[in-house]
Amino acid sequence: MIRWSTLFDPAQAVVPPSPPERDLLPRDGAGERWLGGVIAVLCFVACLAGLGALSAERAAGGWARELRGEATAQVRPGVGETGDAAAARAAETLAVVPGVEEAAAMDRATAERLLRPWMGEAALEDLPLPHLVTVRLDPDAPASALVLSRALAEGGIDATVDDHSLWRGEVERSAGTVTLLALAAFLAVAGATGAAIVHAVRAGVEARRAVIETLSLSGATDGAVAWLFQRRFALLALAGGAVGTGLALALAGMVRFLGGGEGLSPALPLAWGDLLILSPTPLVAATVALVSARLAAGRALDRLGASASAG
């Protein structure tokens, strides 16, 4: 029968026991703080590497897509015809070709503006420039260079069509290389992060071998002992991964906000959806630590059982 006086008498009150993990696995303040910091830094770097891989893949696809959607025709004027008139006539002819969205003759001012960074101001004054027609192709069903050349020939226009196929092949190969390198860098960082977590968890479990022996000799089951370590290191990795991922998301969000859809550079575009892809990073780190703690504790228990049997 409960005596109500004990509820108000501090000398007789029963103090509830503290959580067993806090007593059985005392926190190593310095070691665990450093481990959490390492996990946070590695997750931060892994997230940045992942964002870099996504941006590189998107930029590479954009380069190839722009080249596939454009073509250029160099027009040579006929007898008694000016170059501007020939280019205008070629633009009208190409604009109605199926697979072409728009065709426009390039004037001399535009051509000079494109060449000025390469040739300088003085060299352009007396330089004869080709008469060009820029063609924007339908991205779903683009017209080929053969179709464009045939349309110009039927219209009585002497011109050469360049669909950028040579440059497109080089750019697509370069884009594929950039994507593979970015993916390899991300996988290397992610693998290093996982290996560091595994090594740190194993070291932490080995450092508490005396605790494992005491619990096992006291009658605790192997599953209960392993769960103590699993829970401790999984929560530690979850906290460290959340800090590192949060910092990476904050940095990426700032870059996206300041630079718009192109990030800080058009070469590495960044989308808001990319940030959501990184959100599972803390759970992945916690899972790696959970499995590592389970295996390390199991090995320690197996060695303890083998030594007990040998004795």
Side-chain angles (χ1 to χ4, degrees):
M1 182 175 181
I2 299 176
R3 298 180 58 185
W4 292 101
S5 60
T6 61
L7 297 178
F8 304 97
D9 186 359
Q12 300 183 22
V14 177
V15 179
S18 58
E21 184 188 350
R22 186 175 301 173
D23 297 331
L24 298 177
L25 293 180
R27 294 189 180 276
D28 178 11
E32 290 193 356
R33 279 198 300 268
W34 279 107
L35 175 57
V38 169
I39 293 175
V41 171
L42 290 174
C43 288
F44 174 77
V45 176
C47 289
L48 293 185
L51 288 175
L54 290 173
S55 298
E57 192 277 333
R58 185 177 294 110
W63 299 339
R65 194 162 46 249
E66 288 182 4
L67 285 178
R68 282 194 298 267
E70 294 181 354
T72 305
Q74 181 178 351
V75 182
R76 291 173 287 274
V79 178
E81 185 180 28
T82 64
D84 292 339
R89 192 159 58 93
E92 294 177 358
T93 302
L94 295 176
V96 297
V97 175
V100 174
E101 287 189 347
E102 182 183 3
M106 182 182 297
D107 56 18
R108 183 177 179 87
T110 303
E112 288 181 353
R113 187 171 63 252
L114 294 176
L115 292 175
R116 188 171 291 112
W118 306 98
M119 306 193 65
E121 190 72 35
L124 293 176
E125 295 180 357
D126 301 325
L127 183 68
L129 300 180
H131 302 281
L132 302 177
V133 176
T134 59
V135 183
R136 190 170 73 242
L137 304 176
D138 184 356
D140 298 326
S144 64
L146 181 61
V147 172
L148 298 178
S149 299
R150 185 181 296 118
L152 291 172
E154 292 174 356
I157 302 172
D158 184 12
T160 303
V161 177
D162 179 13
D163 62 353
H164 307 160
S165 58
L166 178 62
W167 294 103
R168 187 172 66 242
E170 295 292 337
V171 168
E172 288 179 348
R173 282 191 291 272
S174 300
T177 302
V178 169
T179 302
L180 289 178
L181 290 176
L183 181 60
F186 167 70
L187 293 177
V189 174
T193 303
I197 293 175
V198 171
H199 177 74
V201 170
R202 287 179 178 176
V205 173
E206 289 295 326
R208 292 175 171 85
R209 183 181 299 181
V211 176
I212 295 177
E213 294 178 358
T214 302
L215 293 175
S216 181
L217 294 176
S218 300
T221 62
D222 291 353
V225 175
W227 172 246
L228 290 176
F229 290 93
Q230 285 179 267
R231 181 175 180 273
R232 167 64 63 81
F233 288 104
L235 292 177
L236 182 64
L238 182 65
V243 171
T245 304
L247 292 176
L249 291 178
L251 178 60
M254 182 180 66
V255 170
R256 178 64 173 80
F257 178 76
L258 294 177
E262 295 181 345
L264 288 181
S265 170
L268 291 175
L270 190 63
W272 287 114
D274 297 342
L275 307 184
L276 299 178
I277 299 177
L278 304 180
S279 55
T281 302
L283 295 178
V284 174
T287 302
V288 173
L290 189 76
V291 175
S292 301
R294 177 73 182 186
L295 296 176
R299 256 195 318 271
L301 290 168
D302 290 341
R303 284 198 299 268
L304 179 62
S307 61
S309 299

